Amino acid sequence: MPAATIPATGDLLRPGAGGPGAGDGSFGGDGDGGRRPSPRARQTHRLGIWLGLASVTMLFLGLTSAFIVREKLGGEWAEFAMPPLLVVNTLVLLASSAALERSKRALAGIVPSGARPAVSGVEVPPAYNTWLLAAVALGLLFLVGQAVAWQQLSARGIYLSTNPHSSFFYTLTGMHGLHLLGGLVALGYLTAWRGRLPLLALRRRTEATAIYWHFMDGLWVYLLLLLFVWK
Amino acid sequence: MAGHAAVMEAPTGFIRKYIFSIDHKVIGIQYLLLALFAVFLGMVLSAFMRLRLAWPEEKWPLLQQIFPQGFAGGPMTPEFYLAMMTMHGTIMVFFVLTTAPLSGFGNYFLPIQVGARDMAFPILNMLSFWITFVAMAVMVMALFATGGAPIAGWTSYAPLSALGQVAGPGLGAGQTLWIVSIAIFCVASLLTSLNFLTTTLNLRARGMSLLRMPLTVWAWFTTAMLALLAFPVLLAGGILLLLDRVGGTSFFIPGGLVVSDQLIPHQGGSPLLWQHLFWFFGHPEVYIAILPGMGVTSHILSTFARKPVFAYKAMVGAIFAIGFISYIVWGHHMFMSGMSPFSSMAFSITTLAVGVPSAIKTFNWLATLWGGQIRFTSSMLYALGFVSLFVSGGVTGMLLAQPAVDVALHDTYFVVAHFHIIMGVAAIFGIFAGLHFWFPKMFGRMMDERLGKIHFWITIAGVYAIFMPMHYLGVAGALRRYAQLTEFDFLRPMQPLHQFITVAAFVTIAAQLIFVFNFFYSMFKGKRAGANPWEATTLEWIIPSPPPHDNFGPIEPVVNHGPYEYSVPGAAKDHIMQTAPAEEARR
Amino acid sequence: MPLALAFFFWAMALITVALFIARVWWLPELASAHGGAIDDQLVLTLVLAGIVFFLAQAALGYFIWRFRARGSERASYWHENPKMEVTWTVATAILFIGLGIQGNRVWAKYILTQAPPDAVTVEVTGQQFAWNMRYAGADGKFGRTDPKLINDANANFLGLDEADPAAHDDVLTQNLMAIPVNRPIGVILRAKDVTHSFYVPQLRVKQDAVPGMGIRVTFTATKTGEFEIACAELCGMQHYKMRGRLLVMSDADYEKWLKDRAAAQ
């Protein structure tokens, strides 16, 4: 369905918008159960993912405030230099995001064919596949890179409990890694189901995953600045 | 529209229908049953607490046989008392007061009341229930952990909660399981609230503008917003606390601690940091417990007074104001903690400010009754009880909000009275009101009115007899979290009052069996209920009781009226359904 | 039913208020200089809260009885009354904020008062489950402490470093604190294991003792006698019997007590 029919957010305050069953419902299998697909479904997915990210933000804000308080207390706060590998990892993650963006855009141009476009399968364009796999590979590479960075640090004798700075380093990168792992599961889902999902569903889900994935990028850059640049 | 195109097929297998169901109604009932189990467990734990407080030295041979360790030597041991206290608080706050009003009723009725066929993300919804279930299971494991259940209180202040078994019994495996359970619970609550918010914003029926939503929906919506932003902060705190315990970090453990003559090898953490993280969540949590009750009460008062809710918009504004202000008052739990005295001043003012929207709500409830034709169903009795309890528990907030007065009252039974009345009992009355109100919709049968009324009378008299005297204890300086209050000269004279409270508590607890009997008996043997037994106006009452799998069947509800159009002059009936044709309101 | 419920709310409110007025259970007898202001603020707020409580319960009861359903009569239909709403919003806001400002003045006067130079300084360190008091002795200086030296078996509860000359005349007691009457006392609160809270009901003093922090409280006792020090923050299994004795005595008695203790050590 063309983007033009999607109601803007301002619409929420007006009566008469939407209707029952407007959302396509289930996370894992819309298009089944005879539910009507609707222009709202896309918005529902986006809203859901942004609300989820709001709570992710609060989680990291909580950890950030702990970081700031703990740093102010001083004491044994012994800051170690950033492992250079993290720069490489950052570039890998940014590249992964870019790849996912390309993959998402590969779906944008396609107009679904057939009388009931929303529920019919679609030939996934090769560009989508290529870039999606690239994003998955780069995402995995980032996590491997993070693991190597941990390895390097512990080889230097810097462990979780060594000092407050290292405690926060491992905690924050660990939490970020866990969230990224969640993103990889979503990417894995897209990879596995891309041929079987209706175009609109695939597009919605790719879009939602991309929002999450880009957010994780921004979060990573923020954490890097907090851990090694912010004073 | 094209016939039955919107109708969803109902699953047929038992497991998909009742266990791993994605139907918001089944999930709502699952949550309610989980909360019912939890509330009974929590109540039994409180009975143990009251037993020791009233007769600390008494020996209980029978109980000694059942709990050889908890009653080692005859009387209940202090660590058993503290374990009961910790688990009572935790189970009640998380698995009852968060689970029943928000996840239980919210799940069942929020989609119906906005005119949706299900939640926005049904599978996510199912996941949140089962994650909550796991959290509950882990918490029950904590109760039976090796070395005892945790004794650090539901607030689990560090460093007591961070040091492990060396700091006391139950602070080893029990405390670890406690933290893990809470962390799991946080995740479940996030998923639930995300679903609630999306559903409310995106799946409303045609004509269901925001200002036509029932106040229950507004309350659930605001509560979900609070949960979405507050639980992650607790999660952050929980992760750091867990790492302090098992990872050797020092987020909350200062350097140079000596516990039981052992030097603890930690360095430079901050105990106050845990308190800040905990209460940043903890205060919104109080409103997570009570806001749905406010919504339900408004809804029911209007229905049975046969009058529109007075000042609907002010009610919505007050819900939002309470929700917002609840984020900037957490420091009032820390007036005596060593926090900057200037922060205390700021937190004092914001805390008193939260009283303004709360007072607005009370005024509006009273004004809703004014000129009404009140029908005294048991549901209405509970709602009226809620108003009374909300006032009783609310006014004492005026004292506790002031750091100067807290010098006398902090951590005394005055605080115990305050929060039990307002977030415990009042919230429970909200749940009872909602349950008696919606039972016919959920199960297609009426609850027994006579049993409901008997239960109401014993319960309201009981809770006032339990909690009102605690104010006097608190003013006289009786300290909470004491396993007994006979070790101090200034506390000993209050013992008779403690015994009175214990007796009242036992009677009240016993009376809850009436409710349980009524609940399960009515489920199978109650009088059959029609679609709209209370002559109410909102969308859940236009569909059969119990509602079909897709809620509205082939109907697409179109909303033409506000939620509380009762006794409209000139209208044919004394209530106008939200879906009635627009002309019906005109003369 | 309506009349019974109305009576219930009225009776409950009456009994509650009456028991407060009768002061059957009441604040412990005051014995400090700053406590008067705290008590006044407490009573003022309690009276205002009591009035609000009583009026609201009375109105609730009255409305329940007055507006019970009568046959098939229809309820009156009214939605809002902006004038009334603004009035009570403004009125409660003024009441609450005014109370808050007044309360903050009392608080500021109490908490921001610094101990004058001639004040008696006592260091109080909480541990599971006892209070350790320390007086600086003749030199007016506390000796160095080190957690590594703490040894409960040798009664070195604070880890006092005997190598420090300032440590020699420090006077140490456990669960016993003596102070002179009518002289400002500066207490430095510490904790060596978990958080405790130093609470003397009659003095209207309550302050957490947090590990890693040294928190100062200042007060002046106005009555001689023996009082109890309780712990007001959950600190573990025997929290309920973490009891210390506080002896408030005349100046002369206090000096003698201190000298005797120093000599005995």
Side-chain angles (χ1 to χ4, degrees):
Chain A
M1 216 163 283
T5 63
I6 292 161
T9 326
D11 192 335
L12 291 172
L13 284 158
R14 237 177 31 225
D24 68 298
S26 71
F27 223 7
D30 55 350
D32 58 2
R35 268 176 252 203
R36 260 180 334 127
S38 102
R40 286 243 144 175
R42 183 172 169 196
Q43 205 190 12
T44 303
H45 273 67
R46 276 197 198 170
L47 186 61
I49 209 77
W50 277 114
L51 289 169
L53 290 173
S55 73
V56 173
T57 306
M58 285 307 285
L59 173 68
F60 281 91
L61 276 183
L63 293 170
T64 302
S65 64
F67 180 90
I68 292 169
V69 169
R70 193 60 192 81
E71 193 184 28
K72 286 259 164 60
L73 285 174
E76 308 76 7
W77 190 276
E79 188 145 347
F80 59 88
M82 180 174 82
L85 180 58
L86 292 188
V87 178
V88 181
N89 287 353
T90 310
L91 293 176
V92 168
L93 189 59
L94 288 172
S96 169
S97 242
L100 187 57
E101 186 63 24
R102 287 293 298 268
S103 163
K104 185 187 95 184
R105 289 193 184 167
L107 289 183
I110 307 171
V111 179
S113 54
R116 299 181 66 199
V119 285
S120 64
V122 67
E123 198 63 37
V124 181
Y128 179 82
N129 290 335
T130 316
W131 289 113
L132 183 65
L133 290 174
V136 173
L138 288 166
L140 279 171
L141 188 61
F142 173 82
L143 283 182
V144 172
Q146 294 290 85
V148 173
W150 279 18
Q151 202 72 48
Q152 287 177 352
L153 277 177
S154 53
R156 276 162 57 190
I158 300 170
Y159 301 100
L160 173 66
S161 60
T162 305
N163 71 62
H165 188 240
S166 71
S167 299
F168 273 107
F169 173 79
Y170 283 103
T171 309
L172 289 170
T173 50
M175 289 309 293
H176 178 259
L178 274 180
H179 280 86
L180 215 62
L181 213 56
L184 272 177
V185 170
L187 285 177
Y189 167 85
L190 289 179
T191 314
W193 284 78
R194 66 185 192 277
R196 275 167 280 183
L197 282 175
L199 173 66
L200 289 180
L202 183 64
R203 193 184 275 170
R204 275 197 301 273
R205 273 151 212 210
T206 309
E207 208 174 75
T209 312
I211 292 172
Y212 183 83
W213 201 245
H214 297 337
F215 190 90
M216 284 303 133
D217 263 25
L219 181 63
W220 170 246
V221 174
Y222 162 77
L223 291 178
L224 217 50
L225 292 175
L226 179 74
L227 280 165
F228 296 107
V229 181
W230 184 81
K231 279 288 166 295
Chain B
M1 55 171 286
H4 288 230
V7 180
M8 307 182 296
E9 264 170 57
T12 43
F14 179 79
I15 290 188
R16 283 202 54 200
K17 200 167 172 187
Y18 295 113
I19 310 288
F20 296 107
S21 170
I22 58 166
D23 183 340
H24 70 102
K25 298 184 290 296
V26 177
I27 295 172
I29 291 172
Q30 286 175 329
Y31 269 115
L32 288 176
L33 292 176
L34 179 80
L36 189 68
F37 167 72
V39 80
F40 264 80
L41 184 57
M43 212 167 59
V44 169
L45 302 182
S46 73
F48 279 110
M49 293 171 69
R50 286 313 318 172
L51 189 70
R52 181 171 163 108
L53 286 171
W55 300 285
E57 317 284 347
E58 195 75 32
K59 295 185 178 184
W60 310 98
L62 184 66
L63 289 169
Q64 195 183 352
Q65 280 182 358
I66 307 173
F67 306 99
Q69 277 182 331
F71 288 78
M76 188 188 301
T77 62
E79 60 267 34
F80 190 77
Y81 172 85
L82 289 178
M84 295 294 109
M85 178 200 83
T86 302
M87 299 306 283
H88 165 77
T90 308
I91 288 174
M92 288 300 198
V93 169
F94 292 97
F95 296 97
V96 179
L97 297 177
T98 309
T99 301
L102 180 67
S103 312
F105 289 127
N107 242 315
Y108 201 113
F109 288 103
L110 185 140
I112 301 183
Q113 285 192 333
V114 300
R117 294 198 186 275
D118 205 328
M119 284 284 184
F121 308 110
I123 290 181
L124 208 60
N125 203 17
M126 174 189 78
L127 274 176
S128 9
F129 172 75
W130 285 106
I131 295 173
T132 310
F133 186 85
V134 171
M136 180 74 201
V138 175
M139 192 55 81
V140 172
M141 277 160 67
L143 195 54
F144 298 103
T146 332
I151 62 162
W154 85 279
T155 51
S156 279
Y157 271 18
L160 184 63
S161 60
L163 291 171
Q165 198 82 26
V166 67
L171 295 173
Q175 186 68 41
T176 304
L177 286 171
W178 185 95
I179 301 170
V180 169
S181 164
I182 294 302
I184 298 172
F185 188 87
C186 287
V187 175
S189 302
L190 295 177
L191 301 182
T192 306
S193 36
L194 186 157
N195 230 333
F196 277 37
L197 293 171
T198 312
T199 306
T200 313
L201 288 176
N202 262 12
L203 300 192
R204 297 195 309 284
R206 201 169 300 282
M208 180 60 83
S209 63
L210 288 180
L211 289 178
R212 279 184 185 163
M213 296 197 308
L215 286 169
T216 41
V217 175
W218 275 111
W220 288 318
F221 179 74
T222 314
T223 309
M225 216 140 61
L226 291 182
L228 186 80
L229 301 181
F231 273 105
V233 180
L234 179 65
L235 183 59
I239 290 165
L240 298 183
L241 187 58
L242 199 62
L243 287 174
D244 268 7
R245 293 174 56 83
V246 301
T249 56
S250 309
F251 296 112
F252 306 125
I253 307 177
L257 289 195
V258 178
V259 184
S260 318
D261 238 5
Q262 290 177 39
L263 187 66
I264 304 291
H266 282 267
Q267 12 163 282
S270 162
L272 289 197
L273 178 58
W274 165 260
Q275 296 186 23
H276 279 293
L277 289 173
F278 182 85
W279 288 117
F280 185 85
F281 146 81
H283 205 79
E285 166 62 31
V286 172
Y287 291 99
I288 291 172
I290 193 70
L291 276 175
M294 294 182 174
V296 167
T297 298
S298 308
H299 198 74
I300 290 173
L301 286 185
S302 170
T303 304
F304 293 112
R306 314 308 295 166
K307 271 191 69 215
V309 164
F310 180 80
Y312 172 90
K313 281 183 196 159
M315 288 301 234
V316 173
I319 292 177
F320 259 83
I322 291 172
F324 175 75
I325 300 175
S326 78
Y327 274 111
I328 49 171
V329 299
W330 80 91
H332 69 223
H333 297 271
M334 300 170 61
F335 287 155
M336 303 298 130
S337 70
M339 178 179 73
S340 149
F342 298 103
S343 314
S344 299
M345 296 186 190
F347 281 122
S348 170
I349 297 293
T350 52
T351 304
L352 282 158
V354 89
V356 177
S358 309
I360 291 175
K361 301 218 68 130
T362 309
F363 284 128
N364 291 350
W365 287 325
L366 290 176
T368 301
L369 295 179
W370 182 271
Q373 288 284 321
I374 302 173
R375 298 177 183 174
F376 293 91
T377 59
S378 37
S379 168
M380 182 63 166
L381 291 179
Y382 287 108
L384 293 168
F386 178 96
V387 176
S388 171
L389 287 161
F390 185 73
V391 170
S392 306
V395 291
T396 48
M398 289 161 71
L399 289 109
L400 295 173
Q402 301 176 46
V405 178
D406 249 26
V407 173
L409 299 181
H410 176 75
D411 261 353
T412 65
Y413 270 82
F414 198 88
V415 181
V416 179
H418 166 74
F419 75 73
H420 269 98
I421 293 180
I422 199 150
M423 82 171 278
V425 182
I428 296 273
F429 267 59
I431 297 171
F432 280 139
L435 204 59
H436 284 80
F437 183 68
W438 282 315
F439 189 93
K441 184 52 61 184
M442 290 193 283
F443 301 104
R445 289 172 187 275
M446 308 295 289
M447 274 183 97
D448 188 273
E449 275 292 303
R450 208 171 40 152
L451 286 177
K453 280 171 187 166
I454 294 170
H455 173 247
F456 164 79
W457 278 107
I458 302 178
T459 306
I460 186 120
V463 295
Y464 269 126
I466 295 167
F467 293 111
M468 272 306 181
M470 289 190 187
H471 292 105
Y472 309 120
L473 290 173
V475 170
L479 291 161
R480 65 190 284 215
R481 296 179 163 180
Y482 267 35
Q484 65 192 72
L485 293 105
T486 52
E487 295 290 314
F488 285 81
D489 294 336
F490 78 100
L491 295 175
R492 219 166 286 128
M494 297 175 232
Q495 205 54 22
L497 202 49
H498 270 295
Q499 288 161 355
F500 171 81
I501 293 172
T502 296
V503 172
F506 287 170
V507 173
T508 314
I509 289 172
Q512 302 316 302
L513 293 176
I514 303 175
F515 163 76
V516 178
F517 173 78
N518 193 359
F519 183 78
F520 288 107
Y521 178 83
S522 305
M523 208 183 275
F524 302 103
K525 301 271 170 184
K527 219 168 55 190
R528 289 246 175 235
N532 190 4
W534 311 121
E535 302 183 291
T537 54
T538 43
L539 294 188
E540 72 268 37
W541 305 109
I542 65 169
I543 54 178
S545 311
H549 176 64
D550 55 1
N551 295 346
F552 295 97
I555 320 165
E556 288 271 5
V558 177
V559 175
N560 292 315
H561 300 279
Y564 302 113
E565 291 298 296
Y566 292 101
S567 303
V568 179
K573 279 194 280 184
D574 84 331
H575 62 287
I576 297 174
M577 303 305 289
Q578 281 198 277
T579 49
E583 310 78 57
E584 198 156 320
R586 299 192 201 110
R587 281 154 207 271
Chain C
M1 187 68 63
L3 199 58
L5 194 57
F7 266 120
F8 175 80
F9 288 140
W10 292 335
M12 184 274 300
L14 261 178
I15 294 169
T16 303
V17 171
L19 284 172
F20 264 117
I21 293 172
R23 298 193 174 186
V24 183
W25 299 273
W26 194 244
L27 291 159
E29 197 189 334
L30 181 66
S32 73
H34 72 270
I38 289 177
D39 286 7
D40 290 347
Q41 183 65 17
L42 190 151
V43 171
L44 170 75
T45 316
L46 196 58
V47 168
L48 291 174
I51 293 171
V52 173
F53 164 77
F54 189 81
L55 290 180
Q57 302 287 359
L60 179 63
Y62 173 67
F63 290 5
I64 286 170
W65 171 74
R66 168 94 158 65
F67 299 110
R68 66 196 184 278
R70 277 171 260 198
S72 56
E73 233 176 281
R74 233 176 229 200
S76 59
Y77 181 84
W78 60 318
H79 269 289
E80 49 207 347
N81 184 335
K83 216 187 247 173
M84 238 162 76
E85 289 169 52
V86 170
T87 311
W88 63 48
T89 306
V90 172
T92 43
I94 289 172
L95 173 71
F96 287 171
I97 303 301
L99 211 52
I101 291 168
Q102 172 65 18
N104 274 343
R105 284 173 57 190
V106 178
W107 166 250
K109 197 147 177 266
Y110 160 62
I111 201 79
L112 300 178
T113 303
Q114 302 278 331
D118 66 328
V120 174
T121 306
V122 190
E123 186 199 62
V124 177
T125 305
Q127 76 172 64
Q128 286 179 330
F129 300 90
W131 297 102
N132 298 290
M133 284 67 177
R134 181 154 72 126
Y135 297 79
D139 62 355
K141 266 195 264 176
F142 287 113
R144 204 180 74 84
T145 56
D146 184 340
K148 287 194 197 76
L149 298 173
I150 289 180
N151 188 334
D152 285 7
N154 279 349
N156 191 356
F157 300 110
L158 299 177
L160 194 64
D161 183 3
E162 293 294 340
D164 182 14
H168 291 188
D169 61 350
D170 283 9
V171 175
L172 295 136
T173 60
Q174 196 170 49
N175 290 333
L176 179 68
M177 178 176 174
I179 54 166
V181 73
N182 292 329
R183 261 176 73 184
I185 314 292
V187 171
I188 305 167
L189 283 168
R190 301 185 194 283
K192 68 185 219 193
D193 40 33
V194 302
T195 306
H196 302 272
S197 190
F198 179 80
Y199 176 42
V200 184
Q202 291 83 352
L203 296 184
R204 310 289 188 264
V205 169
K206 188 184 284 152
Q207 175 61 55
D208 284 5
V210 183
M213 292 172 84
I215 301 169
R216 282 161 196 278
V217 208
T218 306
F219 57 87
T220 305
T222 53
K223 279 188 187 135
T224 56
E226 186 179 331
F227 302 101
E228 287 170 310
I229 303 168
C231 179
E233 186 65 69
L234 178 62
C235 61
M237 194 169 79
Q238 291 177 29
H239 171 53
Y240 69 102
K241 51 179 178 187
M242 184 168 159
R243 178 172 177 270
R245 283 157 63 215
L246 172 69
L247 308 173
V248 183
M249 40 183 87
S250 71
D251 241 355
D253 285 353
Y254 166 72
E255 297 297 345
K256 184 171 174 302
W257 179 87
L258 200 61
K259 217 170 272 166
D260 290 350
R261 295 294 304 197
Q265 240 156 247

